[in-house]
């Protein structure tokens, strides 16, 4: 356990003088004998450009902003507001803390003051952001607006009042989809007078989730048109807010189905940021880390269809069992866990009185970081750990609101959070941000880093690299972080697995017409015909009608079904929820479940009832689910014939099943045992990119036939890890499989597939940028300092095959063959 010495006694609401970012960084880097910092980027401060209020802005509204300290808008705020007030759709895509809220509040509230019957609908991707915006609008105290949140946490007694009286409703796409649109008749007055639809943090709507939300917005436009007089009324004006992203106008246009103007020049002032890239040190070699041969296929990760690897000896390869290359017996040197490193850094910053937010990739990780930090601080100063907490999805409403209040009021000095707090919640006065692992996109990275320094102070941001190929690549290639443009948002409303269910929802709300189908875009008429053939819709001269009494059950976020409740068996107390797609991995019998630092063990998981019963226990081990994966090719959309190499894009069927879990010692990572599980298999039809190689080309490159499985497997791991460089996905959105002889290709093959039904656009992006993607993959493997492969290059902690077989040298040879032929 680390020793923590506070710079001075720390009490609630106060603390020692906060060190400047440079001094704080020097203090943090002294914790290791070798310097963990690979690069420091200084982002200079920026002055703002203010402009006068628009002439149409009411004096009452200007006075309300002046009471909050806003005397004039920044130029980008005024430009976006002018476009919106002129009834043109606009997206403002500027940096964190640039005041995007005023850009949509100004025209919306001005319209509500000018027209006492007008209404505004605000959509946020998270409840926390909607609650934050409610506070912001309510504090303006504009008479007659009556802003209200309408989401799953809203008591039913309040919902009728909101429908009848609120003129500024704040909600999320899920509630719009499940509650407002199905009950559109009860909202007819609100929809008839709807002047603005605000879509906040619209860059979040990507992949399958974004494609679903795109159709939810089209369903909203359709219902607004039905309740408005047929006088050429163009409908509500859409105002979108986005983090800095590539081509925001095109992305916003795909999302809304409307022409959108983009405002991208950020004219707000910004304090300087010191941004460090931090690589945890190597640990001494661990004899327990020697992998043992395991023929069971399938690389997995919590939460859905994940990376898998099929090797000879498995059901899909048809070859002799493989015992692993000679180097598999070497001791593997790994880096200190990014979670442990983040917890120690968080303890150091809190002890120094620095208000810090640590972003962690997973719910479990956030709990682990918070618990470890509290323990370290309490050992140094009893009670100081109380000023650190975890924040994540799955908490009950009361817990979330109390944590938000404690953070805003300074009762908490440190918070370990999932990306639930990445979005525009106004966290005033934060001094530092720790980012535990690359969040998947540069847009998210800068969004998270921007949480610090929001009150104009100099700020510190630190990216702590996980021991995986992408993070290792980035901390040693700072130009890929600081010199590359932000990615474009990828979504595909034409995805048949999204369009079909959304047309069914629209038909259940009101019969579909030919004009409606045009609203839903390419492929809508063909999809409607398929729904008729499947018995979901009935076609009549007046349109397409939903045939069933029950509404379609459609999950916008692709989380694999309804949430599973986590209940304490002895008391019946509801602890929280886990999405259905993750339940197999996180709530199987015997799993360890963490909640606000308290450890529970799962007794039973009932998938039919959506309930996991748990009991409190503090075991000295953690649990890690393992799954197996198989894949078959359904069709080929496109391909490149590059002689001995083929590159393909097409549909595949993926079958995965959680079959066991490991128990590992928390202190050492030692595997105690592996226990079987009996959970149902899950099937996924999706889109994949894959490449094949001829055996002769591999032999010519020096790959021995016995080493082909290890070379392909290692290349697959690294390719999955590096795909977020070229596509707006993160590692959890994609999966993979490799095999020395796949039955459908009859050749050595590596597959990488989207982990969502119908695909999410990531495989298409990988196919289009295959050379750049695989070149970065090859470089990441070759530049890693290990001899035989490690988690920083080709090993995966989620590998269901036990990271065996793996061959780092042969992975480089495999990729050299692919790149040499694709570039010809």
């Amino acid at each position: 356990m680390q020793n923590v010495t506070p710079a001075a006694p720390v009490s609630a609401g106060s603390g020692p003088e906060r060190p400047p970012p440079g001094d704080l960084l020097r203090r943090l880097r002294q914790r290791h004998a070798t310097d963990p910092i690979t690069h420091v980027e200084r982002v200079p401060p920026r002055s703002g450009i203010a402009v006068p209020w628009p002439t149409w802005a009411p004096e009452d509204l200007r006075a309300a902003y002046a009471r909050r300290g806003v005397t004039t808008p920044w130029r980008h705020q005024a430009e976006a507001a002018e476009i919106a007030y002129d009834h043109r759709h606009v997206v403002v895509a500027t940096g964190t803390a640039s005041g995007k809220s005023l850009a949509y509040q100004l025209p919306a509230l001005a319209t509500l003051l000018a027209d006492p019957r007008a209404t505004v609908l605000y959509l946020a991707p998270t409840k926390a952001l909607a609650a934050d915006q409610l506070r912001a609008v309510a504090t303006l105290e504009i008479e007659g607006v009556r802003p209200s949140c309408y989401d799953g946490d809203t008591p039913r007694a309040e919902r009728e009042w909101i429908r009848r009286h609120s003129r500024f409703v704040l909600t999320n796409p899920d509630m719009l989809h499940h509650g407002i649109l199905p009950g559109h008749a009860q909202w007819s007055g609100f929809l008839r007078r709807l002047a603005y639809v605000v879509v906040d943090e619209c860059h979040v709507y990507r992949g399958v989730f974004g494609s679903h939300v795109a159709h939810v917005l089209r369903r909203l436009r359709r219902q607004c048109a039905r309740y408005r007089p047929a006088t050429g009324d163009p409908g509500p004006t859409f105002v979108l807010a986005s983090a800095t992203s590539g081509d925001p106008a095109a992305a916003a246009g795909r999302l809304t189905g409307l022409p959108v103007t983009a405002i991208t020049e950020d004219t707000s002032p910004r304090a300087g940021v010191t941004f460090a890239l931090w690589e945890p040190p190597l640990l001494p070699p661990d004899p327990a880390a020697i992998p043992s041969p395991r023929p069971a296929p399938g690389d997995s990760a919590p939460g859905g269809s994940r990376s898998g690897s099929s090797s000879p000896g498995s059901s899909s390869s048809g070859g002799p069992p493989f015992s692993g290359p000679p180097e598999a017996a070497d001791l593997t040197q790994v880096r200190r866990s990014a979670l442990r490193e983040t917890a120690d850094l968080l303890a150091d910053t809190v002890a120094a009185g620095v208000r810090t937010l640590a972003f962690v990739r997973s719910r479990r990780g956030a709990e682990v970081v918070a618990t470890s930090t509290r323990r370290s601080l309490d050992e140094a100063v009893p009670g100081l750990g109380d000023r650190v907490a975890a924040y994540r999805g799955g908490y009950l409403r009361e817990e979330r609101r109390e944590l938000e209040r404690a953070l805003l009021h300074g009762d908490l000095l440190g918070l370990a959070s999932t990306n639930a707090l990445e979005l525009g919640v106004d966290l005033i006065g934060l001094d530092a941000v720790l980012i535990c692992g690359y969040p998947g996109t540069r847009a998210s990275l800068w969004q998270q880093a921007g949480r610090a320094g929001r009150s104009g102070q100099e700020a510190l941001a630190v990216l702590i690299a996980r021991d995986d190929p992408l993070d290792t690549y980035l901390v040693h290639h700072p130009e890929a972080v600081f010199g590359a443009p932000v990615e474009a948002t990828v979504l595909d409303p034409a995805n048949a697995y999204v369009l079909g269910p959304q047309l069914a929802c629209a038909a259940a709300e009101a019969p579909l017409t030919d004009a409606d189908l045009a609203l839903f875009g390419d492929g809508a008429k063909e999809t409607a015909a398929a729904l008729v053939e499947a018995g979901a819709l009935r076609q009549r001269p007046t349109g397409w009608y939903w045939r069933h009494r029950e509404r379609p059950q459609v999950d916008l976020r692709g989380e694999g079904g309804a949430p599973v409740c986590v209940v304490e068996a002895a008391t019946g107390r509801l602890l929280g929820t886990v999405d259905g797609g993750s339940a197999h991995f996180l709530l199987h019998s015997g799993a360890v479940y963490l909640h606000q630092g308290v450890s529970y063990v799962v007794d039973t998981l009932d998938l039919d009832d959506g309930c996991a019963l748990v009991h409190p226990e503090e075991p000295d081990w953690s649990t890690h689910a393992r799954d197996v994966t198989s894949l078959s090719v359904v069709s080929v959309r496109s391909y490149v014939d590059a002689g001995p190499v083929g590159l393909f894009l097409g549909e595949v069927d993926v079958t995965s099943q959680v079959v066991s879990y490991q128990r590992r010692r928390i202190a050492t990572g030692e595997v105690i045992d592996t226990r079987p599980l009996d959970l149902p298999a899950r099937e996924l039809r999706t889109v994949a990119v894959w490449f094949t190689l001829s055996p002769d080309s591999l032999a010519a490159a020096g790959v021995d036939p016995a080493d082909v499985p290890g070379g392909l497997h290692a290349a697959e791991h690294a390719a999955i890890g590096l795909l977020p460089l070229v596509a707006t996905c993160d590692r959890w959105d994609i999966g993979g499989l490799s095999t020395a002889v796949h039955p459908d290709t009859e050749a050595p093959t590596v597959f990488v597939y989207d982990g969502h039904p119908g695909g999410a656009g990531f495989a298409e992006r990988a196919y289009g940028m295959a050379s750049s993607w695989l070149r970065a993959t090859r470089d990441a493997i070759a530049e890693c300092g290990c001899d035989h492969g490690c988690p920083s290059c080709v090993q995966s902690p989620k590998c269901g095959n036990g990271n065996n077989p793996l061959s780092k040298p042969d992975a480089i040879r495999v990729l050299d063959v692919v790149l040499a032929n694709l570039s010809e």
Side-chain angles (χ1 to χ4, degrees):
M1 182 60 63
Q2 75 163 125
N3 294 317
V4 178
T5 305
V10 183
S11 60
S14 66
E17 182 177 348
R18 296 162 186 164
D23 292 347
L24 178 60
L25 191 60
R26 280 190 289 274
R27 184 182 303 179
L28 295 177
R29 74 198 308 173
Q30 290 171 359
R31 65 169 29 261
H32 294 304
T34 57
D35 190 353
I37 296 176
T38 62
H39 180 80
V40 177
E41 187 82 5
R42 168 69 179 163
V43 181
R46 178 185 66 221
S47 57
I49 303 173
V51 297
W53 290 104
T55 56
W56 45 261
E59 184 59 37
D60 289 351
L61 187 54
R62 300 185 199 187
Y65 279 115
R67 290 193 296 271
R68 288 176 50 185
V70 180
T71 55
T72 55
W74 306 118
R75 187 176 68 195
H76 69 275
Q77 294 172 325
E79 290 175 347
E82 287 279 9
I83 293 171
Y85 198 74
D86 193 37
H87 305 295
R88 290 180 289 148
H89 313 293
V90 63
V91 57
V92 53
T94 52
T96 308
S98 60
K100 292 186 283 286
S101 297
L102 188 143
Y104 54 74
Q105 289 175 6
L106 185 57
L109 293 173
T111 299
L112 294 185
L113 284 170
D115 180 358
R117 293 175 57 80
T119 61
V120 172
L121 181 67
Y122 168 93
L123 298 173
T126 66
K127 294 176 181 178
L129 179 54
D132 183 74
Q133 284 298 302
L134 175 62
R135 286 190 290 267
V137 175
T139 55
L140 291 172
E141 299 179 339
I142 305 298
E143 186 176 355
V145 172
R146 300 181 293 275
S148 302
C149 267
Y150 189 90
D151 57 30
D153 292 337
T154 305
R156 294 200 173 272
E158 297 179 14
R159 296 186 181 190
E160 178 64 22
W161 186 94
I162 293 172
R163 284 194 293 265
R164 289 181 176 274
H165 301 292
S166 178
R167 299 175 60 216
F168 197 123
V169 173
L170 301 97
T171 186
N172 51 65
D174 308 85
M175 195 64 176
L176 180 60
H177 164 63
H178 289 293
I180 295 176
L181 290 175
H184 56 82
Q186 297 175 299
W187 289 86
S188 58
F190 184 92
L191 296 174
R192 184 180 299 113
R193 303 187 298 270
L194 187 59
Y196 288 96
V197 177
V198 178
V199 185
D200 206 354
E201 304 291 0
C202 65
H203 62 282
V204 171
Y205 302 123
R206 59 179 176 83
V208 168
F209 180 38
S211 302
H212 273 296
V213 172
H215 287 301
V216 171
L217 295 180
R218 285 158 176 78
R219 286 162 51 200
L220 173 64
R221 291 172 51 204
R222 175 179 179 241
Q223 292 302 331
C224 288
R226 292 183 68 242
Y227 288 109
R228 297 166 105 90
T231 56
D233 186 336
T237 300
F238 281 76
V239 185
L240 302 95
S242 170
T244 304
S245 63
D247 202 356
R254 284 193 300 272
L255 187 64
T256 61
L258 297 164
V260 179
T261 301
I263 300 296
T264 58
E265 184 182 0
D266 190 341
T267 58
S268 65
R270 173 73 204 190
V273 179
T274 299
F275 203 137
L277 303 183
W278 184 291
E279 186 174 43
L282 287 167
L283 296 174
D286 180 7
I290 302 175
S292 58
R294 297 186 39 170
D299 301 355
S300 66
S305 299
R306 305 304 184 200
S307 79
S309 178
S310 177
S311 62
S314 73
S315 60
S316 62
S317 60
F322 184 79
S323 61
E327 58 264 32
D330 290 350
L331 297 183
T332 300
Q333 202 168 8
V334 299
R335 296 195 177 274
R336 194 167 188 262
S337 159
L339 289 176
R340 290 173 60 190
E341 197 80 347
T342 302
D344 287 353
L345 293 176
L346 182 58
D348 285 346
T349 58
V350 169
V354 176
R355 293 185 64 190
T356 307
L357 178 61
F359 284 105
V360 188
R361 296 292 301 276
S362 68
R363 294 180 176 186
R364 177 183 290 183
E367 295 279 3
V368 168
V369 168
T371 301
S372 179
T373 302
R374 284 194 293 259
R375 186 181 300 120
S376 297
L377 290 170
D378 282 336
E379 288 179 357
V381 180
L384 185 54
D386 293 340
R387 301 193 68 185
V388 175
Y391 186 102
R392 60 171 175 80
Y395 284 170
L396 303 180
R397 178 193 185 189
E398 295 77 13
E399 292 176 307
R400 294 196 306 270
R401 297 295 177 264
E402 175 57 27
L403 287 169
E404 292 160 15
R405 186 208 63 76
L407 188 64
L408 289 170
H409 287 78
D411 298 335
L412 289 176
L413 270 177
L415 198 65
S417 173
T418 61
N419 63 0
L421 286 180
E422 173 184 321
L423 307 180
V425 178
D426 192 10
L427 305 176
I428 299 170
L430 287 178
D431 306 303
V433 165
L434 306 174
I435 304 170
C436 181
Y438 182 62
T441 66
R442 285 179 287 273
S444 289
L445 180 72
W446 287 107
Q447 190 82 346
Q448 293 182 3
R451 295 294 95 185
R454 291 176 73 93
S455 58
Q457 302 170 335
E458 291 279 319
L460 174 67
V462 182
L463 171 62
I464 299 108
R466 292 168 302 160
D467 208 0
D468 92 347
L470 179 56
D471 286 35
T472 302
Y473 179 88
L474 290 174
V475 295
H476 290 285
H477 291 80
E479 71 280 359
V481 177
F482 301 107
V486 176
E487 309 90 345
T489 303
V490 176
L491 66 150
D492 180 18
N495 181 338
Y497 287 83
V498 173
L499 180 55
Q502 287 293 331
L503 286 180
C505 291
E509 291 157 6
L512 289 165
T513 66
D514 285 324
D516 293 332
L517 293 182
L519 179 69
F520 287 94
D522 295 340
K525 185 162 287 190
E526 294 79 3
T527 303
L531 290 171
V532 171
E533 185 175 350
L537 300 183
R538 177 182 289 112
Q539 187 173 6
R540 291 287 183 261
T542 52
W544 287 264
Y545 290 76
W546 177 244
R547 296 188 59 174
H548 306 286
R549 186 182 302 274
E550 303 81 12
R551 281 189 46 76
Q553 297 299 310
V554 178
D555 177 12
L556 295 188
R557 298 179 187 259
E559 292 178 335
V564 175
C565 297
V566 184
V567 177
E568 188 174 23
T571 65
R573 181 168 65 103
L574 176 65
L575 298 176
T577 60
V578 170
D579 64 86
S582 300
H584 288 229
F585 291 89
L586 302 181
L587 294 177
H588 57 78
S589 297
V592 175
Y593 175 80
L594 294 174
H595 185 83
Q596 278 294 6
V598 179
S599 177
Y600 298 85
V601 174
V602 178
D603 298 318
T604 60
L605 170 62
D606 189 325
L607 293 170
D608 293 331
D609 289 341
C611 180
L613 297 179
V614 303
H615 69 270
E617 184 180 338
E618 293 286 344
D620 65 349
W621 38 264
S622 60
T623 52
H624 304 264
R626 315 293 292 273
D627 75 346
V628 295
T629 302
S630 61
L631 181 150
S632 61
V633 176
V634 177
S635 64
V636 174
R637 290 186 187 176
S638 180
Y639 70 94
V640 175
D641 185 350
V645 171
L647 179 69
F648 299 83
L649 177 72
E651 286 78 29
V652 297
D653 281 335
V654 182
T655 301
S656 64
Q657 183 177 18
V658 175
V659 295
S660 63
Y661 69 98
Q662 284 185 344
R663 297 192 305 162
R664 301 179 190 170
R665 298 280 182 205
I666 293 175
T668 65
E670 173 195 357
V671 175
I672 301 171
D673 57 21
T674 299
R675 300 190 170 191
L677 291 170
D678 183 18
L679 289 166
R682 291 182 290 182
E683 296 182 353
L684 171 75
R685 176 161 293 187
T686 187
V687 178
V689 58
W690 66 94
F691 61 81
T692 61
L693 307 95
S694 72
D696 289 345
S697 68
L698 291 173
V703 182
D704 188 90
D707 294 333
V708 169
L712 296 174
H713 192 188
E716 174 221 325
H717 279 181
I720 290 172
L722 271 292
L723 182 55
L725 271 184
V726 299
T728 52
C729 64
D730 68 30
R731 188 166 188 152
W732 307 101
D733 289 323
I734 51 182
L737 185 143
S738 59
T739 177
V741 182
H742 192 275
D744 294 331
T745 65
E746 299 181 345
T749 309
V750 171
F751 294 89
V752 175
Y753 58 84
D754 291 351
H756 299 277
F762 309 135
E764 285 95 333
R765 180 75 170 168
Y767 179 79
M769 299 191 67
S771 293
S772 300
W773 166 42
L774 296 177
R775 172 62 62 189
T777 301
R778 190 261 181 213
D779 291 346
I781 300 172
E783 293 170 7
C784 184
C786 70
D787 292 328
H788 304 302
C790 68
S792 295
C793 57
V794 300
Q795 290 183 356
S796 169
K798 289 91 183 176
C799 180
N801 213 36
N803 280 304
N804 186 56
L806 288 177
S807 173
K808 174 182 176 178
D810 291 308
I812 297 173
R813 297 183 184 106
V814 165
L815 292 168
D816 282 341
V817 172
V818 174
L819 290 165
N821 286 278
L822 287 180
S823 62
E824 292 180 356

